[in-house]
Amino acid sequence: GKKCPWLNEATAKLHSMLKEDSVLKDSIMKEMLDFCDGNGNRYASLLKKMLTKTISTESRSVNGAKKSSNDDRQLATHRKAKKKEHPIPTSYELVIKSLQASFIDGSPVPSWAVLMNHDTTTDKEAEKYLSLPSPPKWVDSPHDLKCLRSKLHEVIDNSNSDTLNNKMKFEHFVAFDSEFRSEYGSTELATIQFSIIEDGLPLAWVVDLNPNPADAIYSTMTCDILRWIFIESDARIVGFAHRHDLHMISSYIGEDIPFAANFVDIQLLALHKMTDDTGCASDTSSLPGLKSCCSYFLEASGKMVGQKDMKSWSLSKNEQCSNWAQRPLTASQLQYAGLDAAVLLVLLAEIVRS
């Protein structure tokens, strides 16, 4: 809420319109909840939490215990109806099995250590934040795009070559994430981030999708490289709850991106590993966030190697709701954006390792 003041204001305005109890209120609220469920991005999830929390609070204060009980039951019914399992695709299991060979043949494998690069605190018990070993590269020119495409082409070509030999390495994957900007009630892509592993270390690029001033040649080139990487190439793509990201990228390039077997959602992989570890394998309905996934596997890794202080490290989300339309972006924003992509490859390695 503190980082997204517009979300609080929007929710307050909505509830000021719905003060009177009526069938209209119920139908609007149900439509809003359905909208949040359908979108599945972090902003929709925040809005849903605020809506459901406010419904319960208002019903208790205005309508008394009896009315509150009815509303709570309605909300519980809605949540139960929307609660669904998230099965893991068979292709994911094949990826895990193939990557396990990397721990045997000596191929470079990323670990949490590569993201534990500095300690900005003097208190050993204080929380420490993960960071990239080197700053991400800012891409905002045709030349930068050509260099990025060349690098990604190299990764994909090596992946295709090794696939023919039934080999799969962490260096074959391309992780991605995106940030959004909101203006005049619409949400658009602001940046897209890519990351790869090279010699066991993550490299990251942050691509400007909101050039100021506008550049037609650059925008055409960004569409071409996005169409190539997500539709035309055989890239092994890693994302996190990336359905909404792909929808936004599809809108940006003007072409639908099909969900293919070469896409890996780290959120699903982490979910099933976490539920297996906690003995709740039958309940895979609650999807974890990226920060909680990192915290879980950091602590698990610390236990494996006997390092208790690993649980004091975490993934910072301080820049999540910052102004992604501003140019230039701050160093902190670039670090945040690049890390959100790079950490997915480390998470993949930790899931395979565990």
Side-chain angles (χ1 to χ4, degrees):
K2 293 180 180 179
K3 294 292 182 180
C4 292
W6 61 267
L7 196 57
N8 283 323
E9 293 172 7
T11 308
K13 288 181 181 179
L14 176 62
H15 281 282
S16 68
M17 298 166 57
L18 303 175
K19 284 184 177 179
E20 299 297 328
D21 289 317
S22 65
V23 176
L24 179 63
K25 171 179 177 177
D26 293 337
S27 63
I28 292 178
M29 191 59 67
K30 184 179 184 302
E31 184 176 345
M32 290 294 294
L33 290 170
D34 288 340
F35 170 80
C36 293
D37 288 326
N39 275 271
N41 62 69
R42 54 179 174 262
Y43 301 116
S45 298
L46 284 171
L47 181 58
K48 180 180 177 182
K49 289 180 181 179
M50 296 177 73
L51 286 171
T52 53
K53 181 178 180 180
T54 310
I55 291 173
S56 297
T57 303
E58 286 184 349
S59 60
R60 288 187 174 89
S61 61
V62 177
N63 302 313
K66 183 175 180 180
K67 178 65 177 176
S68 172
S69 178
N70 291 334
D71 284 348
D72 287 344
R73 281 197 294 271
Q74 290 177 5
L75 282 174
T77 301
H78 176 83
R79 291 178 183 136
K80 185 175 181 180
K82 289 296 179 182
K83 190 174 183 179
K84 57 183 179 181
E85 299 301 312
H86 299 277
I88 188 169
T90 303
S91 59
Y92 288 21
E93 297 174 356
L94 296 176
V95 167
I96 296 295
K97 291 180 180 179
S98 298
L99 284 174
Q100 285 174 341
S102 296
F103 293 90
I104 301 174
D105 62 17
S107 300
V109 178
S111 67
W112 289 120
V114 301
L115 301 180
M116 296 176 176
N117 297 298
H118 60 84
D119 184 358
T120 57
T121 68
T122 56
D123 184 357
K124 292 185 178 180
E125 298 299 322
E127 188 174 40
K128 297 182 282 288
Y129 293 122
L130 302 172
S131 65
L132 291 168
S134 59
K137 298 176 182 178
W138 175 240
V139 178
D140 66 346
S141 72
H143 173 74
D144 294 338
L145 285 173
K146 288 179 181 178
C147 292
L148 172 60
R149 180 161 184 162
S150 176
K151 194 65 178 179
L152 295 180
H153 223 303
E154 180 183 334
V155 171
I156 296 169
D157 287 346
N158 289 337
S159 173
N160 292 339
S161 175
D162 284 340
T163 298
L164 294 175
N165 298 319
N166 296 318
K167 294 181 179 180
M168 189 180 295
K169 303 176 182 178
F170 291 98
E171 294 180 339
H172 295 162
F173 289 82
V174 177
F176 86 101
D177 189 37
S178 58
E179 304 301 332
F180 308 100
R181 62 187 180 93
S182 297
E183 289 184 348
Y184 309 112
S186 64
T187 301
E188 298 179 2
L189 284 170
T191 66
I192 186 166
Q193 300 82 251
F194 294 105
S195 181
I196 62 172
I197 297 297
E198 189 173 88
D199 298 326
L201 296 176
L203 302 179
W205 293 260
V206 181
V207 182
D208 188 7
L209 298 183
N210 181 39
N212 187 13
D215 185 331
I217 295 177
Y218 175 82
S219 295
T220 298
M221 289 185 67
T222 56
C223 285
D224 288 344
I225 193 173
L226 293 180
R227 189 177 295 108
W228 167 70
I229 191 74
F230 287 104
I231 299 178
E232 299 169 1
S233 77
D234 296 321
R236 297 184 181 279
I237 300 175
V238 176
F240 189 92
H242 53 246
R243 183 176 294 272
H244 179 65
D245 298 84
L246 293 180
H247 172 73
M248 296 297 291
I249 296 170
S250 294
S251 298
Y252 184 87
I253 65 177
E255 188 173 347
D256 288 339
I257 299 174
F259 284 87
N262 57 317
F263 284 75
V264 177
D265 188 343
I266 293 297
Q267 186 184 52
L268 282 182
L269 279 178
L271 168 67
H272 283 265
K273 178 58 181 174
M274 292 164 72
T275 52
D276 286 346
D277 289 351
T278 56
C280 301
S282 61
D283 182 12
T284 58
S285 58
S286 299
L287 293 169
L290 181 56
K291 182 174 182 177
S292 62
C293 287
C294 289
S295 296
Y296 178 87
F297 286 99
L298 272 163
E299 184 174 358
S301 179
K303 290 179 180 178
M304 289 178 61
V305 298
Q307 295 181 10
K308 296 182 179 180
D309 64 329
M310 287 186 69
K311 65 180 181 181
S312 65
W313 290 83
S314 70
L315 181 70
S316 173
K317 306 301 288 185
N318 291 338
E319 297 290 350
Q320 181 176 29
C321 295
S322 60
N323 183 6
W324 291 99
Q326 71 177 1
R327 294 293 181 271
L329 296 177
T330 65
S332 180
Q333 284 179 305
L334 289 174
Q335 174 70 211
Y336 170 87
L339 182 59
D340 263 14
V343 76
L344 301 182
L345 298 172
V346 177
L347 271 174
L348 176 61
E350 292 299 330
I351 292 170
V352 174
R353 181 182 284 110
S354 62

